[in-house]
Amino acid sequence: MTVLDRFSSMYADICQITLEDLASIYAVNVTFIDPITTHHGLGDVQHYFSHLLEQAERCEFDIAMIAPVESNSITHLVNWTMTLKLKQSDKLITLDGNTQLTVQDDMIVYHKDYYDLGEMVYEHIPLLGFFVKKIKKRLAK
């Protein structure tokens, strides 16, 4: 099973993994970036996931495609739809995004997520969400 197979399997249901599972896909020196923050090293990524796992009741990724990329640094592009339900909320958040990966020696050394942070977070905060949606609607005209 390749690292991309392990990645797909693990991300199918993040809430079912252990922190040790992350060591089977991420290199010790991995850089993991999302729209909120950057994590350097496997220990930092495991800490980030421990926080996520404490808060998430459900976190699943439907991976539509993993495509090889001809680039100096990025080796694969992943398109996905995430379904997230936090323990303290009744809302189910569905979000499209993509990830850039760099694979070396069958391990991921670089992972960068791209998604709409407003759609994931800001639109679900009372009052702030109202304004974010209103601004998006105005910009779409």
Side-chain angles (χ1 to χ4, degrees), residues 21-84:
D21 291 334
L22 296 170
S24 73
I25 63 170
Y26 292 115
V28 173
N29 63 334
V30 66
T31 298
F32 185 107
I33 304 167
D34 67 19
I36 299 169
T37 187
T38 299
H39 309 279
H40 297 286
L42 178 59
D44 203 14
V45 171
Q46 287 173 319
H47 179 74
Y48 171 72
F49 270 81
S50 71
H51 184 67
L52 168 68
L53 293 171
E54 287 173 7
Q55 295 182 22
E57 181 175 308
R58 177 179 172 196
C59 185
E60 300 164 349
F61 287 78
D62 178 15
I63 296 176
M65 176 191 74
I66 299 180
V69 176
E70 303 219 6
S71 165
N72 299 14
S73 56
I74 305 304
T75 61
H76 296 85
L77 180 64
V78 183
N79 288 339
W80 47 261
T81 300
M82 179 185 71
T83 303
L84 174 66

Side-chain angles (χ1 to χ4, degrees), residues 103-132:
V103 175
Q104 292 176 351
D105 300 322
D106 204 40
M107 295 297 281
I108 297 169
V109 296
Y110 179 81
H111 174 135
K112 185 170 185 180
D113 288 332
Y114 293 90
Y115 56 83
D116 183 343
L117 188 59
E119 187 178 351
M120 181 176 174
V121 178
Y122 306 135
E123 290 179 16
H124 302 281
I125 298 171
L127 194 58
L128 179 59
F130 170 80
F131 288 109
V132 169

